[in-house]
Every structure is written in structure tokens, then in C-alpha cells.
Amino acid sequence: MAVEDPTETPRVRIDGVGKQYDSAQGPVQALDDVTFDVEAGEFVCIVGPSGCGKTTLFRIIAGLEAPTNGTVSLDGDPVDGPGPDLGLVFQEYHLFPWRTVAGNVGFGLEKTDTVDSGERRRRVQELVDLVGLDGFEDSYPRDLSGGMKQRVALARALAVDPGLLLMDEPFGAVDAQTKKMLQDELLDIWTETGKTILFVTHDVEEAVKLADRVVVMAKEPGRVREVVDVDIERPRNRSDDAFGTHYQRLLDLIQE
């Protein structure tokens, strides 16, 4: 997908982000000088070995915790807490069990004064259709499969039309077949909506399949090792030589 003019302000800027925690053994540097941009409309994945600080970085970008140093900005404005410009999707679905599919999707819209009830219903139905859950509007989470629950979580994140969709291993809890289906559906939604997506994953194959660029992190402390362009035409097939080349390059960087 084409992105906006890179000379303009990036959708997301992570600039010199560091994070230090105190422990019984002394200070622990979880992140050190993490710096990269995400342009509007880009799909960027973050990968790295266990303990490299991917989830910590996710929480800082999401405004769920503050960096020790450095800044995160969205469209030039500093991120200092969760807000409507950030749509969050986690591995755990975090759906309200007492709310229907439509009730979960529309939750964020109920917190705004700018959307009346008629527009809210229209928007909810539009998103339910977008994620392929037409006919399940009145179902409760207990009646849904894992893949369907994650579709609800995605629709809920999109409901307030955020500038950034931030996803933390969202398909890590589903089986391989469902994962592939959700990946394909996410790419369709990304193409249709033009959203900027920052996607944290431990799955290198998933990163090659989805991303325009992949941020590879190293650990001790967590830092950016390299940013790799994935210049393969979509749809991408695991059996293609170019796919295998990118996969091996990312794997080698992670294992160094």
C-alpha cells in the first residue's frame, strides 16, 4: 500500500525511548534509545527474541506506561496516556461478557458526545460487517470461537476511527488455521480502511506475510537492531523464494 509523503510528519514517531526498572538486584534497563518512525498507512511489525522489551515498548506507545526517557508522538502530538487516537488489540480479547457483539463493538462510541444513537448503530453494523460477523450482533462472547472474539476486539478498536491501530500478538492464542484466516482478513481490512498498523509479534513468518517494514529488536537492553523493508508483492506465499529470503534474514538478525 502506498503511504503518504515521508517528508510530512510521520503518523508515529518513537524517539530515543528508554525504560529502566528498579529491582532487588539494582536498576534494569529494559529499553535503550529505541528510535523509528511509522508513516501514515504503513503496516509495521516489531519482532525480536524473548526479553527484548516488545511488550514494554507496546505499553509505552499505547500510553499505558511512561518511558524513563525519550518520547512517543502521534501525528506530532506527544502520547501521554491512552486516548481515542489509539486503537488497542491484545492477545487476550478483553471483551465484556455481559455485552453482545454489538454492545462490545459500540462501547467506545458510547463514551463520545459527538455520535448520536442512530449514527452509533450504523457505525457498529458497518464494523460488524467489515470483520465478517454479520448475523452475530446479538451473540455473547461465550457463544463465539477464539477467532470470532478477536474479530470483535478488532472491530471495537476500529470503532472510534483511531489514527493508529496498535496490536500486541493478537493472533497468538488461536490455532494455525484460524491465525492464517485472521491474517488474511486483517490485510483486507487494512487495505480497505488505510489504517496505520503497528503490530507486535514473535512469529517471523507472520511479520513477513503482513508487514511493509519489520523492526527487529535485540535484547539486554532492548534496542532496535535493524529495520528491514519487506518489498514483496501481496498476496505473499510462504513457498516463494523471496518470502524465504526475508524470513531467513529476519531469523538471522534475531538469533545474532
Side-chain angles (χ1 to χ4, degrees):
M1 171 178 284
V3 298
E4 293 183 1
D5 186 346
T7 62
E8 298 182 0
T9 302
R11 177 56 47 88
V12 188
R13 170 156 286 168
I14 296 97
D15 188 10
V17 165
K19 183 67 179 182
Q20 187 176 89
Y21 295 102
D22 293 326
S23 73
Q25 290 74 38
V28 175
Q29 191 73 33
L31 296 171
D32 181 46
D33 194 24
V34 175
T35 299
F36 62 92
D37 292 345
V38 182
E39 303 297 336
E42 258 196 311
F43 198 132
V44 173
C45 283
I46 301 174
V47 301
S50 297
C52 70
K54 296 189 298 294
T55 296
T56 299
L57 181 59
F58 173 94
R59 291 181 58 81
I60 290 172
I61 297 170
L64 298 173
E65 61 180 276
T68 305
N69 49 274
T71 59
V72 176
S73 57
L74 181 61
D75 293 324
D77 297 322
V79 174
D80 53 12
D85 284 340
L86 288 164
L88 306 180
V89 182
F90 301 89
Q91 181 174 335
E92 297 298 328
Y93 317 114
H94 299 299
L95 302 181
F96 300 117
W98 60 88
R99 281 179 169 251
T100 63
V101 167
N104 271 282
V105 173
F107 176 76
L109 294 173
E110 295 172 8
K111 304 304 176 183
T112 66
D113 297 328
T114 58
V115 181
D116 62 32
S117 59
E119 173 61 18
R120 184 166 64 244
R121 286 192 298 271
R122 185 202 65 78
R123 177 67 173 158
V124 166
Q125 189 60 54
E126 178 184 80
L127 288 164
V128 168
D129 293 345
L130 181 68
V131 299
L133 289 175
D134 183 29
F136 290 90
E137 294 86 348
D138 297 327
S139 299
Y140 287 88
R142 64 176 178 270
D143 302 319
L144 305 178
S145 67
M148 294 169 78
K149 290 175 183 176
Q150 197 57 285
R151 290 194 193 100
V152 177
L154 176 57
R156 181 177 61 187
L158 290 169
V160 294
D161 196 24
L164 172 66
L165 189 59
L166 190 56
M167 310 182 77
D168 186 17
E169 300 195 25
F171 308 146
V174 298
D175 62 83
Q177 183 176 355
T178 302
K179 184 178 197 175
K180 180 182 183 303
M181 180 175 60
L182 289 171
Q183 290 168 347
D184 291 338
E185 290 175 355
L186 177 60
L187 285 172
D188 289 342
I189 290 168
W190 172 65
T191 300
E192 184 169 340
T193 64
K195 287 294 174 190
T196 306
I197 298 180
L198 190 52
F199 188 106
V200 178
T201 180
H202 69 280
D203 185 338
V204 175
E205 183 173 331
E206 181 169 61
V208 177
K209 178 174 181 176
L210 296 177
D212 292 318
R213 292 187 299 138
V214 180
V215 177
V216 182
M217 296 188 65
K219 64 178 182 178
E220 297 178 352
R223 63 198 185 280
V224 175
R225 180 182 294 279
E226 190 171 329
V227 180
V228 177
D229 291 324
V230 185
D231 50 354
I232 309 174
E233 187 176 347
R234 294 182 175 92
R236 298 169 180 168
N237 192 312
R238 179 67 178 87
S239 62
D240 291 343
D241 289 344
F243 194 110
T245 299
H246 282 78
Y247 175 88
Q248 192 59 51
R249 181 183 179 193
L250 292 173
L251 201 62
D252 289 345
L253 286 168
I254 291 170
Q255 293 176 342
E256 283 181 4

